[in-house]
Amino acid sequence: MSTDLTAEVAEQARPYVPATLRAWGADAPRHRRVEGTLVSADISGFTALSERLASFGREGAEELTVLLNRCFGGMIDVVDDHRGDVLKFGGDALLILFEGDDHALRAAASCWRMRDLIERTWSTSLVSRVKLGISQGMHSGFFDLHLVDAGWQELFVVGPGMTATVDCEGNAERGEILLSASSAALIAAEALGRANGEGACPLVADPGPWVWLGEHAGETHSEVEPYLPDWLLEQATAGVVAEHRAVTVAFIVFGGLDEVLLEHGSAEAQRLLQALAGVVLEAAERHGTYWLASDVYPGGGKVILTAGAPRSTRQDEDAALRTLSAIMAADVGLPIRAGVNRGPVFMGDLGSPQRRTFTVMGDAVNLAARLMQKSTTGQLVASEAVLDAAPTPFELTALEPFQVKGKTAPIHASIVGDLIETDHGLRTDDAALIPFVGREAELEELRVALDGARRGNGCVVDLVGEPGIG
């Protein structure tokens, strides 16, 4: 990756990097344990809206982009007002860190105001009434932040503190703000509801005003390029328009990090995260897929891969299966499992001038996550949509069709095993080495057309043959 960014490009890319990383410093340790309050906020309703707007084509994508930016932009403004930092975008979710004085009070106050913002009635020119929902969880304590080399410096938020945060959000009902016992202990009792069996309490009233007594820390390190993959840096500065398109999406989940941190410490956790990142990056680069993001998951974390976004190779399903097969075959020292699906998604940029991300969202993404949840350690579960479109043969074990929330028809999927040898002894990834003979004249025509296209003179080439000739 080049280290020369113009001031203009650096400023365009700046919102894609959380302030915590911008202030980290290139020479700082790769692990930090921070004290504060972590918030997980998950919005519901965008998937259904994306499906409705997809039928309007480009206009629908533009309308969804406007609404997403209004919604997330408003939430980010609330976070900024309460001195928080958005560490991660997880599709339609935010992971937010509050450090410093009154971190729990500021986090609770921001949650209260974010809920008010989201639960108002939204509208677009194509859809008159949009009802969104939000569930939020927060935990106060210590959190482990690790930077690993993935071709860029990727941030992983892991550890028992993260797990407690995500568990609170996962247990919260729509519209509920659920505080762990450690967060509840820092909030006035009159703002809290009845505790559950684990001591977690819902926030039932505005936690009250707070006064920021500390200074807003300036950034000691302003470089953004080390924290962005090349493709995202290009995306951030290209002004690409959002769209609905078919994309292959995979979720790789790893576990065991909480135990590693507790029993062996941060150095071992760093080593294992680096080993995982190296395997994922090598497989993705070799087969033409994209490391879209990393995100939180109880006990460990997850990596989201895409094929077809931001760019497509026209062999996206095959690229995804080959990438995932290579990852699953590697020994990274952590239990991993994965799920992959293909379908129409919303692909685009969202956020505010202060904090942005590039993401994909929609029903196809949600199903990929559910296929991952259907897998067990060491398994890759792929949907029928991926397997039917991929030419490379793998050993498959079909699962019993199963129901998932929001789907009327049962889902058909299989556990993906080893790549199958072909009859001629070559693996399918060696098939490109077989010479193409008997069509020299036709190939020369194609070469001439290609040379013309490179000079800017496009043309249409029509290939015609008898049925069955391949």
Side-chain angles (χ1 to χ4, degrees):
M1 182 181 285
S2 167
T3 56
D4 281 327
L5 284 187
T6 66
E8 180 183 3
V9 171
E11 192 60 29
Q12 288 176 304
R14 185 183 182 87
Y16 294 84
V17 181
T20 298
L21 280 188
R22 297 200 302 265
W24 194 305
D27 298 326
R30 301 295 84 189
H31 166 259
R32 288 177 58 200
R33 176 163 290 170
V34 300
E35 184 177 9
T37 296
L38 194 65
V39 170
S40 177
D42 189 18
I43 306 172
S44 57
F46 278 131
T47 297
L49 179 62
S50 177
E51 301 296 311
R52 292 167 65 187
L53 290 175
S55 62
F56 292 94
R58 177 58 60 85
E59 186 180 4
E62 292 172 351
E63 286 289 305
L64 184 58
T65 302
V66 169
L67 183 58
L68 285 167
N69 285 329
R70 284 166 55 198
C71 175
F72 280 100
M75 293 176 69
I76 292 165
D77 286 344
V78 170
V79 171
D80 284 348
D81 288 344
H82 293 77
R83 300 293 192 267
D85 185 25
V86 177
L87 297 182
K88 295 284 182 182
F89 290 82
D92 45 12
L94 297 179
L95 186 73
I96 310 157
L97 177 65
F98 295 83
E99 296 182 83
D101 296 340
D102 294 326
H103 51 79
L105 180 58
R106 289 184 283 117
S110 72
C111 287
W112 190 263
R113 284 153 184 78
M114 282 190 286
R115 185 179 65 181
D116 286 347
L117 172 73
I118 295 301
E119 291 189 342
R120 53 172 278 195
T121 299
W122 300 80
S123 65
T124 76
S125 62
L126 297 176
V127 180
S128 58
R129 290 177 61 84
V130 178
K131 294 297 291 183
L132 301 174
I134 185 170
S135 59
Q136 299 177 85
M138 57 180 273
H139 172 74
S140 301
F142 290 91
F143 306 96
D144 291 277
L145 310 182
H146 288 264
L147 279 182
V148 300
D149 183 5
W152 62 96
Q153 296 299 306
E154 178 72 13
L155 174 66
F156 282 95
V157 184
V158 297
M162 175 278 293
T163 295
T165 306
V166 176
D167 284 345
C168 277
E169 188 278 313
N171 291 327
E173 302 291 336
R174 177 172 170 146
E176 188 175 38
I177 304 166
L178 191 61
L179 283 61
S180 72
S182 64
S183 288
L186 301 173
I187 303 298
E190 55 267 26
L192 303 173
R194 183 186 298 274
N196 63 19
E198 298 178 349
C201 301
L203 189 69
V204 297
D206 191 328
W210 56 274
V211 178
W212 177 252
L213 299 177
E215 295 182 3
H216 195 51
E219 293 178 10
T220 59
H221 178 72
S222 58
E223 285 189 63
V224 297
E225 188 178 19
Y227 308 107
L228 296 175
D230 285 342
W231 68 263
L232 182 53
L233 192 59
E234 294 171 5
Q235 192 76 22
T237 56
V240 178
V241 178
E243 61 179 313
H244 287 95
R245 66 154 71 171
V247 173
T248 303
V249 183
F251 286 83
I252 304 165
V253 164
F254 59 91
L257 251 296
D258 287 3
E259 292 79 10
V260 169
L261 283 162
L262 290 171
E263 297 174 13
H264 303 288
S266 60
E268 179 64 6
Q270 179 75 24
R271 185 188 71 79
L272 291 169
L273 287 170
Q274 185 59 65
L276 172 71
V279 166
V280 173
L281 180 67
E282 195 278 331
E285 288 185 337
R286 175 158 36 106
H287 297 294
T289 57
Y290 294 91
W291 178 322
L292 184 74
S294 64
D295 201 6
V296 291
Y297 197 83
K302 60 188 174 186
V303 176
I304 301 97
L305 299 180
T306 53
R311 294 181 286 273
S312 174
T313 64
R314 304 295 182 183
Q315 297 177 333
D316 300 327
E317 302 89 351
D318 209 52
L321 286 178
R322 288 173 178 273
T323 301
L324 293 165
S325 178
I327 294 168
M328 302 305 292
D331 180 8
V332 299
L334 292 168
I336 60 173
R337 54 197 176 100
V340 59
N341 181 45
R342 179 172 176 82
V345 305
F346 168 82
M347 180 192 81
D349 229 43
L350 62 88
S352 77
Q354 292 75 40
R355 189 72 174 90
R356 301 191 66 76
T357 193
F358 176 86
T359 193
V360 295
M361 60 175 60
D363 186 61
V365 180
N366 295 345
L367 181 54
R370 291 194 172 99
L371 291 172
M372 174 274 297
Q373 293 168 348
K374 193 75 174 175
S375 68
T376 60
T377 298
Q379 286 185 346
L380 164 63
V381 175
S383 67
E384 195 174 53
V386 172
L387 298 172
D388 285 351
T392 301
F394 288 87
E395 295 177 355
L396 301 177
T397 303
L399 297 175
E400 286 292 326
F402 56 95
Q403 300 289 148
V404 299
K405 183 180 178 181
K407 293 282 191 181
T408 55
I411 302 301
H412 294 265
S414 296
I415 300 168
V416 180
D418 294 335
L419 189 146
I420 297 175
E421 300 281 349
T422 61
D423 291 340
H424 48 67
L426 290 173
R427 298 171 76 90
T428 54
D429 50 0
D430 294 324
L433 302 176
I434 301 173
F436 187 63
V437 297
R439 291 290 185 269
E440 287 79 6
E442 290 83 354
L443 283 173
E444 183 58 29
E445 286 191 41
L446 289 174
R447 292 189 186 99
V448 171
L450 179 59
D451 288 342
R454 286 171 173 158
R455 294 192 299 270
N457 300 317
C459 67
V460 175
V461 177
D462 191 15
L463 301 179
V464 180
E466 294 296 323
I469 69 169

